[in-house]
Amino acid sequence: MIDIKEYGEFNTSWCPGCGNFGIMDAVRAALSRQGIAPHQFVYVSGIGQAAKAPHYIRCNGFNGLHGRSLPAAQAIRLANTGLPVLVSSGDGCSYGEGGNHFLAAIRRNVNITLLAHDNQIYGLTKGQASPTTMQGHVTKAQPLGAPSAAFNPVAVAVAMRCGFVARGFAGDKEHLAGLIVAAMQHEGFALVDILQPCVSFNKVNTYAWYKERCRPLPESYDPTDWQTAMTTAATFGEEIPVGVIYREDKPGFETRLPQLAGPPLAARGRDLAAVARVLEAFA
């Protein structure tokens, strides 16, 4: 157990009441419970309000391009296979600009954890419809209502047999911290889609809206049953199941690369003469 204070306290640019605060509290609690000190993990993000999360916690951080957090996170993990790697980005960054990277990450199954801050809106740019905005939702940019059907990332992840798929709620920090711990301890790619109210630009999906609908999965729920998981993942509306929706143990990407056998790449010595020969060969 690490003292929560070790992760620091920082001024943020988030609006008072933003769901990102609950997620950050849950991340700190999850790291503390696992005894992971600030220097022992990497926190990666893209662009957006959610992607500012690594700015507000003491850690090794990498803040990349819009929608490009997952490729960087996978490279970091493959270079140092003993290092816990977290990714935080919003629904626009993760499922819009980074949509193809999201699908590729599930296919590769590199051992990283994606925390998708899903507020069903673009908050950084002040309220356009995002991929998870519900059809018909009126925004400043869509005054007649969002015309497209909402993307369901949880259902897509289960359909692709992602090894770990969970849905949490930023308004229930204790439950969410448990989901993050379970995701980080899973061997392979793990998705935690986190319902996160945007108090400034989404006046529909509020704390009260989510609290009326979010239902923790019962203890009898079997996350290894794919057919049931598909039905559970597709349930979103008047009732929203939260918890570990699907889990499947399967070999990680690292086990399919013989180059990674042995010590982590980051810990091996460098042969600069060999690098020079390669550069000369392609000059």
Side-chain angles (χ1 to χ4, degrees):
M1 180 77 77
I2 302 289
D3 190 329
I4 293 288
K5 295 179 180 177
E6 292 293 320
Y7 305 107
E9 292 290 339
F10 300 86
N11 293 325
T12 79
S13 62
W14 294 334
C15 303
C18 176
N20 284 331
F21 289 107
I23 297 173
M24 282 298 293
D25 287 346
V27 168
R28 288 187 173 93
L31 292 168
S32 170
R33 290 179 197 176
Q34 297 174 90
I36 300 175
H39 69 281
Q40 293 175 321
F41 75 104
V42 175
Y43 205 179
V44 183
S45 67
I47 296 296
Q49 292 291 0
K52 295 177 182 176
H55 305 181
Y56 306 142
I57 185 170
R58 187 171 293 131
C59 65
N60 299 293
F62 183 93
N63 195 184
L65 301 174
H66 207 354
R68 306 294 185 260
S69 55
L70 287 173
Q74 291 167 92
I76 291 168
R77 172 67 189 192
L78 293 176
N80 193 343
T81 50
L83 192 65
V85 178
L86 280 173
V87 180
S88 263
S89 272
D91 43 298
C93 191
S94 297
Y95 307 137
E97 287 81 1
N100 187 47
H101 294 305
F102 172 64
L103 301 179
I106 294 173
R107 291 174 51 232
R108 290 194 187 102
N109 199 32
V110 177
N111 194 354
I112 61 176
T113 297
L114 170 60
L115 308 177
H117 301 216
D118 189 352
N119 59 18
Q120 302 180 253
I121 207 81
Y122 277 99
L124 181 71
T125 48
K126 307 191 185 312
Q128 300 95 332
S130 79
T132 58
T133 299
M134 295 186 299
Q135 191 171 23
H137 183 153
V138 175
T139 74
K140 291 193 300 183
Q142 286 83 25
L144 301 180
S148 301
F151 178 69
N152 184 332
V154 175
V156 170
V158 174
M160 293 182 68
R161 293 186 179 273
C162 176
F164 185 99
V165 185
R167 180 190 284 136
F169 172 42
D172 187 347
K173 294 187 285 187
E174 178 63 25
H175 183 258
L176 179 57
L179 293 180
I180 296 173
V181 170
M184 293 184 68
Q185 293 180 351
H186 174 77
E187 291 292 325
F189 180 73
L191 166 68
V192 184
D193 185 74
I194 305 170
L195 303 172
Q196 173 242 328
C198 175
V199 295
S200 295
F201 301 109
N202 187 339
K203 303 300 184 184
V204 175
N205 309 112
T206 63
Y207 281 100
W209 191 91
Y210 287 122
K211 285 181 179 178
E212 289 175 3
R213 291 164 172 79
C214 287
R215 302 281 187 276
L217 292 166
E219 291 186 5
S220 59
Y221 181 83
D222 178 9
T224 66
D225 182 336
W226 185 78
Q227 293 285 355
T228 299
M230 279 302 303
T231 302
T232 305
T235 304
F236 191 97
E238 293 307 309
E239 181 178 344
I240 305 174
V242 294
V244 179
I245 292 174
Y246 184 65
R247 185 196 296 269
E248 177 180 338
D249 294 328
K250 53 187 178 181
F253 191 72
E254 296 93 323
T255 64
R256 285 175 261 142
L257 294 180
Q259 308 92 302
L260 297 182
L265 297 177
R268 299 181 193 176
R270 290 169 291 177
D271 186 346
L272 297 181
V275 173
R277 288 195 296 273
V278 171
L279 291 177
E280 290 173 2
F282 290 94

